[in-house]
Amino acid sequence: MAKSSLHIAKHIVLLIIIFSGLIIPCRGEAQTREQLLKAGYIEKFTHFVDWSKNPHSNDSLFKVAVIGDKKFSMALEQIFSKTKVNEKSVKVTYITSVDQIKDNLILVISKSVSNDKLDEILNYTTGKTILTISEKDGYGVRGSIINLIVVDEFIRYEINRITLGKSGLKMNSLLIKSGTLVGKVDSND
Amino acid sequence: MKRLFLLLLIGVNCFSNVFAQEKDTLKADDIIKMSFTDLMNTKVISASKVQQEIKDVSATVQVITAEQIKDRGYFTLEEALGDLPGFQFRNINGFNSYVFLRGAPSQNNLILLLVDGVQINELNSGGFYGGGQFNMSNIERIEVVYGPSSTLYGTNAVSGIINIITKSSNWGKKGQISMLGGTFNTGMMDFNLRNYNDENEVAYSISGMYKVTEKADLRGVNGDNNWSDEMENFENDLSLSAKLRIKNFSAGVVYQNKKSSMTTNTKSIGDKYFDRNTLWNISFLNGFVKYTNNKSKRITYNSTLYYRNATVNPNTVNNIVKATDTTSGNQVGNYRPNHLIGLDNQLIYSPFEKLMIIGGIIGEIEQLSDGFSISNSNSQFVSPPAPAKPNMLNNNLFSYYLQLNYKIFNKLSFIGGIRHDFSSYYGQVLTPRAGLVFNTDKFTAKIMFNRAFRAPKPWDYEFGSGNESLKPENMHSYELFTSYSIFKNLSLGASFYRNLINDKLTLDISGSDVRWVNKNKLNTFGFELYGNYSSKSLSLYANYTYTDSYEQEGILIPEISMHTANAGITYSFTSHIKANLRANYLGGRKNPLQIPSTGNDKIDAAFLLNGAISYNDFHGFDIQLKVNNFFNEVYYHPSNRFAGRYRQPQRTIMLKVTYNLFR
């Protein structure tokens, strides 16, 4: 009895392997733990910023755009599908060009975005009430308002006080105190 | 069997073109609940022996979450485990119930039960106690590690490990109070409170629970005529726990008390025993103080001092012998104290990114009763006096272990380890393990070889006529685990294993001479298949288990069914209303002895349907109606005590109301 059971089991195992082999070689689309944690940070940031000066602050939806890595937008969708900002549902959109930024209040710039592309984006957003959030070393100094970085396996963030000032957005002092300020103030600005 | 593993290896190799990404047990829900400080204290990469991601652990692991416990209304630990693959039960509906994992029947001494990482198996027998003494409302998650883990945990970690993680105080000020009422005179109250202070790095939690139930109607014909129409069967459970964390120090204490009748331990109809007024009174006290230092990026040091106590209290009335025309009967009292103190020093060291070394040294001193201390009243109607303290046996244990995880390639890791145990009773035991873990974003494969052992307890050497040459039972295990995420929310998995337990501790009876000897083997081949799907409003699970346990070819091990299956669905109708329906199929199995009421030794297959409907967050209240055994199926579990079987609970209905504090 035990032998025949083993025989049946072998066939079942073989079928599972064949079945798995047919469907496994597909590229994955899950976001990483790091991206999910960064999405958590971005959700927390929304509560420490005064959005009233943004012309789209009274829209029915709170809009967030992601440029660069699509998986980052999935992480944000997971977080924002379960929570609201100022009692409003959040719409997360993945965009590929600057002219799609439009009525978004937050623009997330993933680390896959090149320096040149970043400059193009910042040329468009600087001076507007759009909160730019990047995630690559150096992008904070380059002009992104908030830059999420990994330090000793923990996520930390930089705030560029120059571009923050230009944006007209008001940030809670607690948020500013917990981050690292970057950007010189003694230049032509 | 070799061909089978070769095929599986080929299958694994075919998947090497899968792209790597990191996936995690950390969920969006967890992150939303975090404070800003929590987020800042959460590592991008989780590391350490106990906080490894499930996909990286070289074992099959299943997790039951707090949300599942709440949605499904699990009332006992066994209910929760019953929906997982691989588990079968011998629930005697009395002072204990027995959990079998992967085809090995036992007195719960082949599974380690941990609460927050501290073992709570009873000390004298090595078995844990099933039943209602666990505060299910205070559980964050239950992790089940399948297969042997003696390389890290030593004796008794043979079939698997069940680790109960209680609710954390890291989510800020939280609390709940619950009340429950139901059929079979079931009632329960529980509470939990937790809070933390960011500035001082202080966190605490306290919880309590009191539960009463009569479980099922086992009177007369309902209980297969094992007991009279007046039989008494109750269980009252108390659980109190507290945890405190101050900077790098943490401490916890769990007290549990189980009082139940002993009626179902023996038959009363056709036997000499009386089926009322008995009392099993056992208390568990487990505590720990832990120091953790993980300031260095590469080194984490943990030192844990722990205390365990599992005493059968001296007012226990084990059995009552009925008076007859010529005898006055008697009541038998029991007392069995024991305790253990231990120190576990552990170092986790990552000299470079690809290598993690876990090493530890453990010392334990335990004092155990040499047996039950017994007293007699010499009358059915008179309580027995408190028994005297029994002789205590000292067992000193020393162990060291070393495990290394080496990342050969980005997706492939080798895990190897060894543990060396020394006991003043059972001598030395060396336990090795080795495994390969292959991980991509969607596919995981683990190939494992493990050994494990269950050491005889000191009183086993002296049981009956005694046997000084007893040695530990040992298990060899080979396992392959695969899992695959087809879509974002759909995953499938399978485990295939072959276990062999040698030198089983077996009761040797020759005439009036009884003693334990090392005899017999237990072979098990089995596999578990499972699938899970979850979306925003719907979650589904299904699993099937095949278990072939035999002493030798053709001689099946009793009490183990070859086929079991479970499936369930949970649906959120609105953000407030949630319902679930769960089905359990338990295939037929063999009873150890012939059952008088059927004239054979067969326990029939059973199909059960359970479910719950909840209305959550009604001005802070959660209300749940739960029904177990919808169709009032008449079904039984086996008995290894008397020639008979154990009727399982009829349809059970419960209503629970919870108030959430500090919303």
Side-chain angles (χ1 to χ4, degrees):
Chain A
M1 187 170 178
K3 272 188 177 173
S4 65
S5 304
L6 194 61
H7 187 69
I8 294 165
K10 282 180 184 176
H11 281 87
I12 292 171
V13 171
L14 191 59
L15 281 171
I16 289 166
I17 291 165
I18 293 165
F19 173 68
S20 305
L22 289 173
I23 54 178
I24 279 169
C26 311
R27 184 168 183 129
E29 291 187 341
Q31 72 289 325
T32 64
R33 174 187 175 98
E34 181 181 323
Q35 286 171 331
L36 207 55
L37 283 168
K38 285 177 177 173
Y41 266 85
I42 293 168
E43 191 273 330
K44 296 286 182 278
F45 292 155
T46 62
H47 304 293
F48 291 95
V49 175
D50 177 4
W51 300 102
S52 60
K53 291 201 173 167
N54 186 295
H56 300 287
S57 61
N58 293 321
D59 291 359
S60 58
L61 292 172
F62 187 97
K63 293 182 182 173
V64 177
V66 180
I67 191 161
D69 188 348
K70 198 170 186 177
K71 294 195 291 287
F72 209 148
S73 66
M74 291 166 60
L76 284 160
E77 276 173 23
Q78 276 203 40
I79 295 289
F80 282 115
S81 67
K82 296 164 189 287
T83 184
K84 293 183 175 183
V85 179
N86 293 339
E87 306 293 316
K88 289 179 195 172
S89 295
V90 179
K91 185 182 179 188
V92 179
T93 314
Y94 174 69
I95 63 171
T96 52
S97 64
V98 170
D99 54 14
Q100 291 173 291
I101 295 173
K102 292 177 187 169
D103 52 353
N104 288 284
L105 285 83
I106 296 177
L107 176 66
V108 178
I109 305 157
S110 85
K111 62 176 86 169
S112 63
V113 170
S114 67
N115 286 355
D116 292 344
K117 183 81 173 175
L118 177 76
D119 292 342
E120 183 193 343
I121 294 165
L122 294 177
N123 275 338
Y124 176 84
T125 57
T126 303
K128 294 188 175 72
T129 47
I130 298 171
L131 179 65
T132 49
I133 302 174
S134 57
E135 53 154 353
K136 191 172 179 179
D137 282 346
Y139 277 21
V141 176
R142 222 176 168 90
S144 175
I145 296 175
I146 294 179
N147 187 38
L148 294 161
I149 49 174
V150 177
V151 180
D152 289 339
E153 299 180 2
F154 294 99
I155 292 172
R156 299 289 178 257
Y157 61 92
E158 302 166 333
I159 296 174
N160 187 314
R161 64 179 105 178
I162 308 299
T163 40
L164 174 64
K166 284 180 179 176
S167 74
L169 290 168
K170 296 289 177 206
M171 224 176 242
N172 188 303
S173 61
L174 285 173
L175 189 62
I176 294 172
K177 276 201 301 194
S178 301
T180 305
L181 293 177
V182 296
K184 292 180 179 176
V185 289
D186 56 353
S187 64
N188 293 336
D189 299 303
Chain B
M1 200 62 201
K2 281 180 185 170
R3 277 172 52 205
L4 177 67
F5 274 93
L6 187 64
L7 280 169
L8 292 167
L9 277 169
I10 292 165
V12 169
N13 288 332
C14 292
F15 307 143
S16 57
N17 61 338
V18 182
F19 293 80
Q21 278 177 328
E22 191 187 347
K23 210 172 83 179
D24 199 0
T25 51
L26 187 71
K27 298 284 186 293
D29 282 333
D30 303 327
I31 291 171
I32 290 165
K33 287 176 193 167
M34 288 181 182
S35 68
F36 206 89
T37 312
D38 291 332
L39 263 179
M40 295 195 81
N41 290 330
T42 303
K43 279 190 175 184
V44 175
I45 303 159
S46 56
S48 90
K49 169 192 156 192
V50 288
Q51 289 176 4
Q52 272 184 291
E53 292 175 37
I54 286 170
K55 64 174 188 171
D56 293 330
V57 176
S58 63
T60 300
V61 180
Q62 296 276 351
V63 174
I64 302 165
T65 64
E67 188 180 8
Q68 289 165 343
I69 291 169
K70 181 185 171 189
D71 290 346
R72 300 172 191 173
Y74 290 135
F75 190 63
T76 63
L77 180 64
E78 291 91 313
E79 268 187 35
L81 299 174
D83 286 332
L84 293 180
F87 281 96
Q88 298 188 31
F89 305 89
R90 181 207 303 139
N91 190 346
I92 70 169
N93 273 310
F95 73 110
N96 201 351
S97 69
Y98 301 92
V99 180
F100 310 152
L101 179 56
R102 288 194 164 172
S106 74
Q107 298 294 99
N108 285 349
N109 48 22
L110 296 178
I111 299 173
L112 273 192
L113 185 62
L114 316 175
V115 174
D116 293 326
V118 177
Q119 289 182 37
I120 63 165
N121 285 43
E122 196 277 316
L123 291 168
N124 258 82
S125 66
F128 70 85
Y129 267 71
Q133 71 272 26
F134 303 98
N135 184 353
M136 303 301 285
S137 301
N138 193 40
I139 295 176
E140 184 66 39
R141 65 185 186 279
I142 302 168
E143 297 172 347
V144 178
V145 181
Y146 289 69
S149 292
S150 285
T151 307
L152 287 176
Y153 292 98
T155 183
N156 298 89
V158 177
S159 298
I161 292 174
I162 301 166
N163 192 7
I164 296 173
I165 316 289
T166 61
K167 282 191 172 162
S168 156
S169 49
N170 290 342
W171 309 132
K173 200 172 186 182
K174 297 276 180 189
Q176 289 173 320
I177 301 172
S178 301
M179 286 185 73
L180 177 147
T183 50
F184 303 113
N185 293 320
T186 300
M188 183 184 76
M189 285 185 72
D190 68 46
F191 77 93
N192 62 74
L193 291 170
R194 46 198 194 280
N195 197 3
Y196 78 117
N197 182 306
D198 259 357
E199 288 178 11
N200 300 322
E201 294 180 57
V202 174
Y204 72 86
S205 64
I206 53 170
S207 76
M209 181 211 70
Y210 186 65
K211 190 184 276 180
V212 296
T213 181
E214 292 177 1
K215 300 180 181 182
D217 183 0
L218 302 177
R219 294 172 297 173
V221 67
N222 291 327
D224 227 12
N225 284 319
N226 290 322
W227 303 284
S228 73
D229 286 335
E230 289 79 38
M231 72 94 76
E232 177 185 68
N233 189 33
F234 66 88
E235 179 173 333
N236 303 339
D237 298 293
L238 174 69
S239 172
L240 299 168
S241 70
K243 281 201 291 189
L244 177 69
R245 178 166 57 81
I246 304 173
K247 297 187 189 305
N248 291 339
F249 288 91
S250 57
V253 62
V254 180
Y255 173 78
Q256 295 172 327
N257 176 250
K258 179 197 283 284
K259 290 191 178 84
S260 79
S261 54
M262 290 288 287
T263 304
T264 63
N265 195 37
T266 53
K267 287 171 70 165
S268 65
I269 293 180
D271 209 329
K272 61 185 179 182
Y273 298 105
F274 188 59
D275 54 23
R276 294 189 292 285
N277 302 333
T278 52
L279 175 69
W280 182 255
N281 183 2
I282 185 165
S283 298
F284 301 86
L285 181 66
N286 295 281
F288 71 92
V289 179
K290 183 176 180 179
Y291 170 74
T292 299
N293 189 329
N294 54 7
K295 284 180 183 164
S296 162
K297 191 178 172 183
R298 304 214 172 275
I299 298 175
T300 299
Y301 171 71
N302 295 310
S303 182
T304 310
L305 180 70
Y306 50 93
Y307 174 78
R308 297 165 55 193
N309 186 318
T311 293
V312 176
N313 295 310
N315 63 341
T316 294
V317 181
N318 185 297
N319 62 72
I320 299 175
V321 177
K322 289 180 275 197
T324 64
D325 293 342
T326 53
T327 64
S328 57
N330 69 316
Q331 295 195 10
V332 178
N334 279 171
Y335 175 40
R336 190 182 68 188
N338 52 45
H339 57 260
L340 176 152
I341 188 162
L343 181 67
D344 183 352
N345 285 301
Q346 182 193 64
L347 197 68
I348 303 166
Y349 176 49
S350 291
F352 50 93
E353 199 180 328
K354 288 187 167 185
L355 180 65
M356 180 167 73
I357 301 165
I358 303 161
I361 298 172
I362 300 168
E364 290 182 343
I365 300 167
E366 62 179 352
Q367 274 208 318
L368 308 170
S369 310
D370 65 350
F372 281 109
S373 175
I374 296 171
S375 65
N376 278 288
S377 70
N378 297 322
S379 167
Q380 176 191 341
F381 306 103
V382 177
S383 297
K389 189 177 179 183
N391 291 326
M392 302 300 281
L393 307 170
N394 288 308
N395 185 20
N396 300 324
L397 299 115
F398 173 76
S399 316
Y400 64 87
Y401 60 86
L402 192 68
Q403 179 169 303
L404 65 89
N405 295 27
Y406 180 69
K407 200 167 258 192
I408 303 167
F409 305 113
N410 189 29
K411 300 166 194 166
L412 184 67
S413 299
F414 168 78
I415 292 101
I418 196 160
R419 174 168 166 141
H420 202 171
D421 287 88
F422 303 83
S423 158
S424 53
Y425 263 87
Y426 57 79
Q428 297 184 41
V429 184
L430 200 64
T431 321
R433 81 186 304 192
L436 286 171
V437 176
F438 178 81
N439 259 323
T440 69
D441 61 322
K442 291 193 158 196
F443 179 73
T444 298
K446 305 173 182 181
I447 299 170
M448 297 156 278
F449 165 72
N450 281 306
R451 286 191 64 178
F453 71 99
R454 178 174 82 87
K457 301 299 289 185
W459 68 347
D460 292 329
Y461 292 88
E462 305 191 2
F463 180 75
S465 55
N467 182 357
E468 286 183 2
S469 59
L470 273 185
K471 54 187 180 182
E473 294 178 348
N474 65 79
M475 183 205 264
H476 301 252
S477 171
Y478 305 90
E479 182 173 352
L480 183 133
F481 167 85
T482 59
S483 73
Y484 178 60
S485 299
I486 298 175
F487 305 116
K488 191 171 141 192
N489 298 326
L490 176 63
S491 61
L492 299 175
S495 293
F496 308 87
Y497 65 91
R498 180 74 190 249
N499 294 342
L500 172 62
I501 303 180
N502 284 311
D503 296 322
K504 275 191 67 61
L505 290 172
T506 308
L507 213 52
D508 184 45
I509 304 168
S510 55
S512 59
D513 192 16
V514 181
R515 62 178 192 152
W516 290 107
V517 295
N518 289 105
K519 206 169 79 174
N520 293 339
K521 293 180 177 180
L522 192 153
N523 293 275
T524 308
F525 166 75
F527 58 86
E528 295 133 10
L529 309 176
Y530 72 86
N532 295 310
Y533 172 81
S534 67
S535 68
K536 199 171 176 183
S537 56
L538 177 70
S539 70
L540 302 165
Y541 71 87
N543 57 65
Y544 165 77
T545 303
Y546 173 85
T547 314
D548 184 8
S549 281
Y550 53 94
E551 273 181 62
Q552 42 186 289
E553 297 285 342
I555 302 179
L556 288 175
I557 295 287
E559 302 194 73
I560 298 298
S561 169
M562 269 194 171
H563 308 281
T564 61
N566 307 295
I569 176 171
T570 301
Y571 186 73
S572 299
F573 293 93
T574 69
S575 59
H576 295 287
I577 301 173
K578 212 179 234 189
N580 75 80
L581 204 58
R582 294 170 290 117
N584 306 118
Y585 171 78
L586 182 62
R589 46 185 167 162
K590 191 172 178 285
N591 202 52
L593 298 165
Q594 186 153 318
I595 302 161
S597 58
T598 62
N600 60 42
D601 61 359
K602 289 187 176 64
I603 302 286
D604 291 333
F607 177 79
L608 302 174
L609 209 58
N610 312 307
I613 184 161
S614 311
Y615 191 99
N616 295 324
D617 199 17
F618 177 72
H619 300 291
F621 286 93
D622 301 334
I623 300 158
Q624 183 177 65
L625 181 68
K626 181 193 165 197
V627 181
N628 274 2
N629 193 1
F630 261 116
F631 297 132
N632 211 13
E633 171 100 352
V634 178
Y635 71 109
Y636 299 87
H637 282 182
S639 165
N640 67 339
R641 291 165 190 272
F642 52 79
R645 56 186 178 172
Y646 284 103
R647 170 81 185 266
Q648 296 303 299
Q650 295 86 350
R651 183 189 298 120
T652 310
I653 301 169
M654 295 180 194
L655 181 70
K656 185 179 181 185
V657 179
T658 301
Y659 182 69
N660 297 295
L661 304 161
F662 319 118
R663 289 182 300 137

